[in-house]
Amino acid sequence: MRTYHCFWLLFWAGQPHQSFLTPLSKRTSGLPEKEKVLVLSGNSRRDLHRSKRSWMWNQFFLLEEYTGTDYQYVGKLHSDQDKGDGSLKYILSGDGAGDLFIINENTGDIQATKRLDREEKPVYILRAQAINRRTGRPVEPESEFIIKIHDINDNEPMFTKDVYNASIPEMSDVGTFVVQVTATDADDPTYGNSAKVVYSILQGQPYFSVESETGIIKTALLNMDRENREQYQVVIQAKDMGGQMGGLSGTTTVNITLTDVNDNPPRFPQSTYQFRAPESTPPDSPVGRIKANDADVDENAEIEYSITEGDGYDMFGITTDKDTQEGIITVKKALDFENKNLYILKVEATNTHVDPRFLYLGPFKDSATVRIQVEDVDEPPMFSRPAYIMEVKEDVPINSVIGTVTAQDPDAAKNPVKYSVDRHTDMDRVFNINSGNGSIFTSKPLDRETLLWHNITVIAAEINNPKQSSRVPVFIKVLDVNDNAPEFAMFYETFVCENAKAEQLIQTLSAVDKDDSYSGHQFSFSLAPEAASSSNFTLQDNRDNTAGIFTRKTRYNRHEMSTYFLPVVISDNDFPIQSSTETVTIRVCACDHRGKMLSCNAEALIHPTGLSTGALIAILLCIIILLVTVVLFAALRRQRKKEPLIISKEDIRDNIVSYNDEGGGEEDTQAFDIGTLRNPEAIDDNKLRRDIVPETLFMPRRTATARDNTDVRDFINQRLKENDTDPTAPPYDSLATYAYEGNGSVAESLSSLESVTTDGDQDYDYLSDWGPRFKKLADMYGAMDSDKDS
């Protein structure tokens, strides 16, 4: 509710002259009011000065928010030229003149027609003048005056925000700054206490306080805890008139939030936790979750879990779930119920962000005991080793035992186990196993040279529950025995020259052995007994696993013996000794004096991969047949009939006929004769065109003969013009190319026929000026000229 206080002020203009102050009978309200008169004079530039006619003042004061029913009286204008006979007329101009302010033109009384609001416009500037009614001329210069609106307390204080939001850390000290609120009053701050604002708190005590003059809100209670109460709503009042009775007021709301600090340590809700874990739990699998509660939020509630002590320190681990702040207990190593079935751990929870200001509240960590019970499960059999490696000689007889695998049921029941071989790893069934005792034996012969390692998998399963099974790899290495005879490293086929000398080396031999030799191979070479005495060659063992073949005699005759087959015996020195007989093929060939082979017999010249006689005959027949086919195809093409130039009589499209036949020479009377072009009078006009079939025969028109020695180009143009204008010509265009050079050719004619008709000898020296491309031609004709001169 607004309360209006009106102050009636009396304005005097210094010491007014008695002739200018006359009481007015008209009143605008029930309250007595002093008359306000503005005297018009010739000089009105200063507010207060002495004139020879009167004292004057140029301000009026008017209260805002006038609530009366009549017009509000402002003041009176009066000129010292006014005799009271009505000859003068007062006029008013300026701010609001005629609308907001009106004047009685006879008496000079000024009235306000509307309620005025100082907050909208505090000052009005107007101009007054007195004029003669009869002449319309001013009797006084125009005077300017102002009307000031006096303020009343009609505006309550307004806050800059309807709602303020602020936050402070919890546990703050008393007097901690929270926020500052500001209210403004639209009333005149220079007039009275209407705009003097005082702040007070209506709601929010005893937690907060506000400074009355500044509006600063501060904490008023020590150790406000966010965990107890987080939100506070404070109502602040701003009152004008300095807070006195009757002043106007406004309020605002301040929402204050306590932000979190780490003032609460984590706490386990219970001191002991119990979990169960089957012994088959794989590593890194979770066993259970524990959580310590922290009343703080966000990073102040982040917790780190760790295992500090216990007999399962190396068997279990714990990690923190960042989303739920829980501790996840996981298995680090495989569990074994038969070995240990209970583990006791001590787990500690610690805040990761500790505030040193609140360390006096106690350690920011807590601990709890975790008991983990390992449960027994039916486990598959376990082998005594993770893998087995066995060795066996390749010559062992079938069904020989090469090794044994062992597996047991780890459970307390100790169920019996049976063994088997995974046939996917032994497709050839080379090995087998005793299902009762796990002994592995051979079922087929072994060959180290074929396969050195055999990798098989043995399965051990419980007899009572075959689904409970386990596997183990078994690597079997086949050991070597000397069961392979040495042999040549390659196939040896050499030659001996007919003119060879005795004791001449013709070939060096080497051998290989598939067997292993720990001390290295040692081979011995010798000729077979049947060839040792009668052979034409000798063999020398070099004692380095090589041997040389030498000639025994001086000359060889390929016509008597073209090929020799020399048997060589190769032996090793291992136990048991192995030997083999290999054959060396030696051909007798003709050689030059340096021993380079020239030729051998016919059989030696034919390569095993050469073509046979039958294959050569077949290829020759194919070639003949292909040639005959080509000849027949060419003959058929020559006999093919040419298609007519014009297929249909109805075809009126343009046709381009290419005469690409050179003609048959002088005997070809059907060929085109260019002499006809040069002698137009010899043209036979009765001849019809041969390239078309005319539909109607018209009488040929006789054309005018061309003059003698006319040019071929002019003749062709003349004939073309005649055919274009001839209505009897068929509607077919024919294009004939005569290959005529025309007049003025730079090269002229190079024909040898025309050269013969020349009267004198030609001078070919100009050919040398044509460049290197014509050098050969210039030399040729230049030589001819030289012969003529000689």
Side-chain angles (χ1 to χ4, degrees):
M1 177 179 179
R2 292 186 178 182
T3 304
Y4 297 91
H5 298 273
C6 300
F7 296 90
W8 303 96
L9 302 177
L10 181 63
F11 297 91
W12 296 89
Q15 297 177 357
H17 196 274
Q18 62 179 358
S19 62
F20 298 130
L21 296 178
T22 58
L24 298 177
S25 60
K26 185 177 180 179
R27 292 289 183 264
T28 58
S29 65
L31 296 176
E33 187 178 76
K34 292 293 183 180
E35 181 183 19
K36 293 171 277 187
V37 181
L38 178 61
V39 180
L40 302 180
S41 64
N43 188 0
S44 59
R45 297 182 180 178
R46 298 179 62 87
D47 290 350
L48 191 62
H49 63 278
R50 179 174 295 275
S51 174
K52 66 178 182 178
R53 289 168 291 183
S54 64
W55 291 90
M56 69 175 186
W57 56 296
N58 63 348
Q59 288 192 93
F60 290 115
F61 294 91
L62 192 66
L63 290 176
E64 66 172 335
E65 302 295 343
Y66 172 70
T67 58
T69 57
D70 297 332
Y71 290 163
Q72 187 177 7
Y73 182 76
V74 178
K76 182 181 181 64
L77 295 178
H78 181 72
S79 174
D80 53 4
Q81 300 294 330
D82 190 358
K83 306 302 183 180
D85 55 0
S87 62
L88 296 183
K89 177 183 177 180
Y90 295 96
I91 60 174
L92 189 66
S93 63
D95 295 341
D99 179 23
L100 187 59
F101 300 100
I102 60 176
I103 188 171
N104 189 321
E105 61 182 15
N106 296 320
T107 62
D109 294 327
I110 302 174
Q111 292 177 315
T113 61
K114 298 179 181 178
R115 294 175 59 183
L116 302 178
D117 189 358
R118 189 203 65 84
E119 286 71 35
E120 293 182 2
K121 190 174 180 64
V123 175
Y124 294 87
I125 301 174
L126 295 97
R127 292 177 298 278
Q129 194 172 31
I131 63 175
N132 190 297
R133 288 181 180 271
R134 183 170 55 82
T135 63
R137 291 185 176 183
V139 297
E140 298 283 356
E142 187 179 51
S143 297
E144 184 179 88
F145 65 96
I146 62 175
I147 299 176
K148 289 187 176 181
I149 310 301
H150 268 181
D151 182 48
I152 64 173
N153 190 17
D154 59 343
N155 291 279
E156 70 276 8
M158 299 292 293
F159 283 93
T160 57
K161 295 181 181 179
D162 294 334
V163 177
Y164 289 82
N165 295 303
S167 61
I168 58 169
E170 61 174 333
M171 310 298 289
S172 297
D173 297 332
V174 175
T176 301
F177 174 84
V178 179
V179 70
Q180 183 177 12
V181 297
T182 303
T184 59
D185 196 318
D187 293 325
D188 189 1
T190 63
Y191 182 73
N193 293 328
S194 299
K196 185 177 182 181
V197 178
V198 174
Y199 300 94
S200 61
I201 184 168
L202 301 182
Q203 178 183 323
Q205 294 175 328
Y207 307 104
F208 300 95
S209 63
V210 63
E211 292 183 357
S212 60
E213 294 182 358
T214 61
I216 296 176
I217 301 175
K218 298 181 179 180
T219 57
L221 190 63
L222 184 64
N223 295 334
M224 287 189 291
D225 194 358
R226 185 200 64 84
E227 288 72 32
N228 294 331
R229 183 177 177 182
E230 184 176 3
Q231 297 286 341
Y232 294 87
Q233 191 175 75
V234 178
V235 178
I236 302 297
Q237 181 189 62
K239 191 174 183 180
D240 59 11
M241 298 297 293
Q244 298 177 4
M245 185 71 67
L248 302 180
S249 63
T251 60
T252 187
T253 302
V254 182
N255 296 322
I256 302 174
T257 302
L258 297 184
T259 58
D260 185 58
V261 297
N262 192 7
D263 59 340
N264 293 280
R267 291 287 182 264
F268 283 106
Q270 58 192 69
S271 59
T272 303
Y273 294 85
Q274 292 195 9
F275 298 102
R276 293 180 176 272
E279 62 175 337
S280 60
T281 303
D284 298 329
S285 298
V287 174
R289 290 172 174 255
I290 61 175
K291 183 177 182 180
N293 299 324
D294 193 325
D296 298 320
V297 294
D298 299 332
E299 67 174 14
N300 296 321
E302 292 181 1
I303 300 174
E304 187 71 28
Y305 296 90
S306 61
I307 299 176
T308 58
E309 57 183 67
D311 53 2
Y313 183 82
D314 58 341
M315 297 295 295
F316 298 92
I318 188 169
T319 58
T320 302
D321 188 336
K322 299 300 181 182
D323 296 330
T324 61
Q325 295 301 316
E326 293 178 316
I328 306 173
I329 301 175
T330 57
V331 177
K332 292 172 62 176
K333 297 181 180 180
L335 303 176
D336 187 3
F337 173 82
E338 290 73 24
N339 185 25
K340 186 175 181 62
N341 57 16
L342 178 63
Y343 295 91
I344 300 176
L345 309 174
K346 185 178 181 180
V347 178
E348 186 175 82
T350 307
N351 276 139
T352 56
H353 300 85
V354 179
D355 193 336
R357 296 177 300 170
F358 305 104
L359 290 177
Y360 68 91
L361 298 177
F364 282 77
K365 60 183 178 179
D366 195 15
S367 61
T369 301
V370 178
R371 299 169 58 90
I372 301 176
Q373 183 72 43
V374 181
E375 296 179 340
D376 187 24
V377 295
D378 189 5
E379 299 176 277
M382 293 183 61
F383 284 94
S384 59
R385 301 178 188 175
Y388 292 86
I389 299 178
M390 301 178 182
E391 294 180 348
V392 58
K393 290 186 177 182
E394 60 178 330
D395 62 344
V396 296
I398 298 175
N399 295 328
S400 298
V401 176
I402 61 176
T404 302
V405 296
T406 303
Q408 291 182 354
D409 183 11
D411 299 325
K414 301 297 181 182
N415 293 320
V417 177
K418 64 176 181 180
Y419 302 92
S420 62
V421 176
D422 185 357
R423 291 306 173 188
H424 292 91
T425 61
D426 186 23
M427 302 293 291
D428 297 332
R429 296 180 177 270
V430 179
F431 301 96
N432 211 335
I433 190 170
N434 189 309
S435 61
N437 57 20
S439 59
I440 300 174
F441 55 90
T442 59
S443 58
K444 288 184 179 180
L446 303 176
D447 186 7
R448 188 204 67 84
E449 288 73 30
T450 302
L451 187 61
L452 176 61
W453 284 92
H454 295 267
N455 303 327
I456 65 174
T457 300
V458 175
I459 303 173
E462 295 181 5
I463 296 177
N464 298 333
N465 186 10
K467 293 183 178 180
Q468 294 294 335
S469 62
S470 58
R471 298 167 175 263
V472 68
V474 179
F475 307 102
I476 302 173
K477 183 179 181 181
V478 180
L479 301 178
D480 183 51
V481 296
N482 192 24
D483 58 346
N484 291 279
E487 57 188 13
F488 280 149
M490 57 180 293
F491 175 76
Y492 289 104
E493 181 178 2
T494 185
F495 71 94
V496 62
C497 295
E498 288 182 310
N499 55 358
K501 299 179 179 179
E503 302 299 327
Q504 180 179 344
L505 177 66
I506 61 174
Q507 182 65 48
T508 300
L509 307 177
S510 62
V512 294
D513 195 335
K514 295 180 180 178
D515 295 323
D516 282 338
S517 178
Y518 300 103
S519 59
H521 290 292
Q522 293 182 4
F523 302 125
S524 59
F525 299 86
S526 63
L527 293 176
E530 62 271 16
S533 58
S534 61
S535 176
N536 293 311
F537 302 93
T538 59
L539 181 68
Q540 180 180 344
D541 192 348
N542 297 326
R543 303 299 180 182
D544 59 354
N545 294 336
T546 63
I549 299 177
F550 295 87
T551 57
R552 176 174 287 183
K553 60 182 182 177
T554 302
R555 296 185 63 84
Y556 294 86
N557 191 341
R558 59 175 172 168
H559 299 290
E560 295 178 358
M561 179 66 70
S562 62
T563 303
Y564 294 93
F565 298 98
L566 186 64
V568 178
V569 177
I570 310 172
S571 303
D572 57 22
N573 63 345
D574 293 332
F575 180 82
I577 296 176
Q578 300 288 341
S579 64
S580 65
T581 301
E582 302 288 333
T583 301
V584 179
T585 301
I586 304 174
R587 301 187 184 278
V588 180
C589 301
C591 303
D592 56 11
H593 65 281
R594 292 176 297 179
K596 184 177 180 181
M597 182 183 67
L598 297 178
S599 65
C600 298
N601 54 14
E603 183 181 357
L605 293 176
I606 298 176
H607 195 272
T609 60
L611 297 176
S612 63
T613 304
L616 294 175
I617 294 174
I619 293 174
L620 184 60
L621 288 176
C622 291
I623 294 174
I624 293 173
I625 293 172
L626 181 61
L627 292 176
V628 171
T629 303
V630 172
V631 171
L632 291 176
F633 181 73
L636 290 175
R637 289 201 60 176
R638 288 188 176 184
Q639 294 179 2
R640 183 178 299 172
K641 185 178 180 180
K642 295 184 178 179
E643 296 181 357
L645 181 62
I646 300 176
I647 300 175
S648 174
K649 296 180 180 180
E650 303 298 331
D651 189 2
I652 61 173
R653 295 173 297 176
D654 294 344
N655 294 279
I656 298 177
V657 181
S658 176
Y659 296 95
N660 55 1
D661 190 0
E662 294 183 355
E666 296 178 356
E667 301 299 330
D668 188 2
T669 59
Q670 298 297 325
F672 189 83
D673 187 6
I674 196 171
T676 304
L677 297 177
R678 298 191 177 276
N679 187 14
E681 297 179 354
I683 297 176
D684 187 0
D685 293 333
N686 296 326
K687 289 186 178 181
L688 301 178
R689 295 174 61 178
R690 293 181 296 170
D691 57 340
I692 61 173
V693 179
E695 296 181 358
T696 306
L697 295 177
F698 296 93
M699 292 302 294
R701 297 187 346 177
R702 185 68 177 180
T703 58
T705 59
R707 65 180 183 271
D708 294 338
N709 298 326
T710 184
D711 188 66
V712 177
R713 183 188 303 275
D714 297 337
F715 170 75
I716 293 176
N717 291 333
Q718 179 182 353
R719 286 299 187 185
L720 179 60
K721 182 177 180 181
E722 292 174 357
N723 281 276
D724 290 340
T725 58
D726 187 6
T728 63
Y732 291 93
D733 293 340
S734 298
L735 176 64
T737 302
Y738 300 104
Y740 174 70
E741 281 188 354
N743 292 332
S745 174
V746 177
E748 296 182 350
S749 176
L750 298 179
S751 173
S752 60
L753 296 177
E754 189 176 354
S755 301
V756 177
T757 62
T758 56
D759 297 336
D761 295 333
Q762 293 283 349
D763 184 7
Y764 299 102
D765 294 338
Y766 63 88
L767 295 176
S768 301
D769 300 334
W770 286 9
R773 294 186 178 181
F774 295 90
K775 184 177 185 302
K776 185 67 176 178
L777 188 62
D779 295 341
M780 183 185 300
Y781 281 91
M784 293 174 60
D785 294 340
S786 301
D787 294 340
K788 291 180 181 180
D789 296 338
S790 62

